[in-house]
Amino acid sequence: MLAARNAVVLVFALNGLLMASLVARVPDLRSGLDLGNGALGLLLLCIAFGSVLALPSAGFLIHRHSAGWVVRLGVVADGIGLIVGGTGAALGSVPLAGAGLFVFGIGTGVWDVAMNVEGAEVERGLRRSIMPRFHAAWSFGSIAGAAVGVPAAALHVPLPVHLGVLSVVAGVAVSRGTGSFLPALESAPTERGLSAWREPRVLAIGVMVLAFAVVEGTANDWLSLALIDGYDVAHWVGVSGYALFVCAMTVGRLTGPVVLDRWGRAPVLWVTTVAAAAGILLVVLGSHPVVVGLGILVWGLGAALGFPVGMSAAADDPTRAAARVSVVSTIGYGAFLGGPPLLGWLGDHVGTLDALLAVAFLMLPAALTVFASRTPAVTSATSA
């Protein structure tokens, strides 16, 4: 079980590494293709489209093969996508770069579902909450990706070289690591009983995950800009605010299992919805730097547990875990399609900082759906 746990930590970290490596080179992607911000935003949507289209098939692939097989498929697709996308930027070809990002999105989507399914299985075997720490490993991987990406960009390392080398390293590590995954369980046929898309509990968990994904994604996309535009602070201050959010969220994921095992999923998640909303309100209305900084900390802690606990809840029944995690992930990834453009449109009308208030109100449906995360009294394929 220890080897399987370490293997899951590895694949989460590598997933974050590759994503952050791409994000760190987005300015080079923009300059290589000579795009404006609007056109770049549309190009980056290719990643989200690829993920959303691939996610529904992830459950079937895991049922048909195994979580380890799908993770390996995902890292291969990611590698191909990064190399093609980087080559497109180097050649100044928008269609080629877009095709690469689309393939990268496909790989990221199926990889995400498979590693969460395997993580839930390890969590069941350990009989204690650990999924948030797997997601913390993703955060550490993203920090490592940024740490490598910054000097690579400063040294003008060609995109295909930088992303290609990391893809090969990740592919070799994933191939070795997934060998320690737990043996695949006998899964329930996907056609038996209600489809996961028609299960009220699964859909409620999906809504909860969607809300938490928007709360987390909004900080990733808009927090720095909101501080800069709303409070007229220096660029480095805005970036520091985002770094503070990432640190708070990572701490929340590392320490979250302790409170989850002590108090249970639903009560803890309800408190985190309140914390996330309160943190956003402090950021928008606080005015004073100390109050705003406190708001960022509370926001990060509040955003920490919703997504990983949602994955665990969807996978409570191991025989239906793949299908249900696939559905919840598909709904959650909708945040990455609709969230950025909607908040951008709202920011143009009311200001970047005040637009964050809409995200605080989104915690209301999250607070109403967190109770779906409670562990069912009976988890079996027939009860689905």
Side-chain angles (χ1 to χ4, degrees):
M1 188 61 69
L2 182 62
R5 183 203 65 185
N6 293 341
V8 174
V9 168
L10 175 67
V11 298
F12 267 87
L14 290 171
N15 187 282
L17 172 75
L18 292 186
M19 177 60 76
S21 299
L22 174 62
V23 171
R25 301 303 300 269
V26 164
D28 298 292
L29 191 69
R30 180 179 66 177
S31 61
L33 297 172
D34 193 23
L35 298 175
N37 286 336
L40 176 65
L42 292 175
L43 178 68
L44 293 177
L45 277 178
C46 291
I47 300 174
F49 279 122
S51 293
V52 171
L53 289 175
L55 281 167
S57 66
F60 169 78
L61 291 173
I62 295 169
H63 279 295
R64 182 71 179 269
H65 301 283
S66 67
W69 187 92
V70 175
V71 169
R72 291 190 291 273
L73 174 67
V75 75
V76 170
D78 269 12
I80 292 172
L82 287 174
I83 293 170
V84 171
T87 302
L91 297 176
S93 172
V94 174
L96 185 61
L101 294 179
F102 180 78
V103 174
F104 175 77
I106 292 174
T108 298
V110 297
W111 184 351
D112 185 271
V113 173
M115 69 184 183
N116 276 288
V117 168
E118 182 67 18
E121 186 60 29
V122 171
E123 186 176 57
R124 264 189 300 274
L126 294 173
R127 297 183 179 179
R128 58 186 175 87
S129 299
I130 196 173
M131 184 71 84
R133 289 178 180 164
F134 292 146
H135 285 256
W138 191 97
S139 298
F140 284 119
S142 67
I143 292 170
V148 173
V150 169
L155 295 172
H156 304 290
V157 177
L159 276 171
V161 175
H162 171 206
L163 300 178
V165 168
L166 287 179
S167 296
V168 171
V169 171
V172 172
V174 163
S175 179
R176 293 177 63 88
T178 52
S180 297
F181 275 18
L182 297 175
L185 292 177
E186 185 68 27
S187 300
T190 56
E191 70 273 14
R192 179 186 293 176
L194 292 174
S195 163
W197 280 101
R198 295 169 56 195
E199 296 181 41
R201 178 176 180 265
V202 173
L203 297 179
I205 294 171
V207 170
M208 180 195 76
V209 168
L210 172 65
F212 275 100
V214 171
V215 165
E216 179 182 343
T218 297
N220 295 338
D221 296 333
W222 298 106
L223 178 56
S224 295
L225 290 174
L227 295 176
I228 294 168
D229 294 348
Y231 292 114
D232 195 27
V233 298
H235 181 82
W236 70 268
V237 176
V239 174
S240 297
Y242 170 64
L244 182 62
F245 172 87
V246 172
C247 290
M249 189 174 66
T250 303
V251 169
R253 287 177 170 174
L254 288 173
T255 59
V258 177
V259 294
L260 286 167
D261 287 338
R262 174 67 179 85
W263 300 103
R265 291 174 183 167
V268 171
L269 289 183
W270 192 89
V271 171
T272 62
T273 62
V274 175
I280 294 170
L281 292 176
L282 288 174
V283 170
V284 176
L285 306 175
S287 298
H288 193 279
V290 173
V291 177
V292 173
L294 176 63
I296 293 172
L297 285 172
V298 175
W299 181 357
L301 291 171
L305 298 179
F307 200 100
V309 174
M311 296 297 105
S312 291
D316 275 331
D317 179 356
T319 63
R320 294 282 288 161
R324 289 169 176 161
V325 170
S326 178
V327 169
V328 170
S329 297
T330 302
I331 297 172
Y333 266 72
F336 302 115
L337 280 177
L342 288 176
L343 281 172
W345 174 84
L346 189 59
D348 287 339
H349 288 78
V350 303
T352 311
L353 184 64
D354 289 340
L356 299 181
L357 292 173
V359 182
F361 285 110
L362 192 61
M363 285 293 93
L364 179 59
L368 296 175
T369 52
V370 294
F371 300 101
S373 68
R374 290 178 295 195
T375 305
V378 178
T379 56
S380 67
T382 56
S383 65

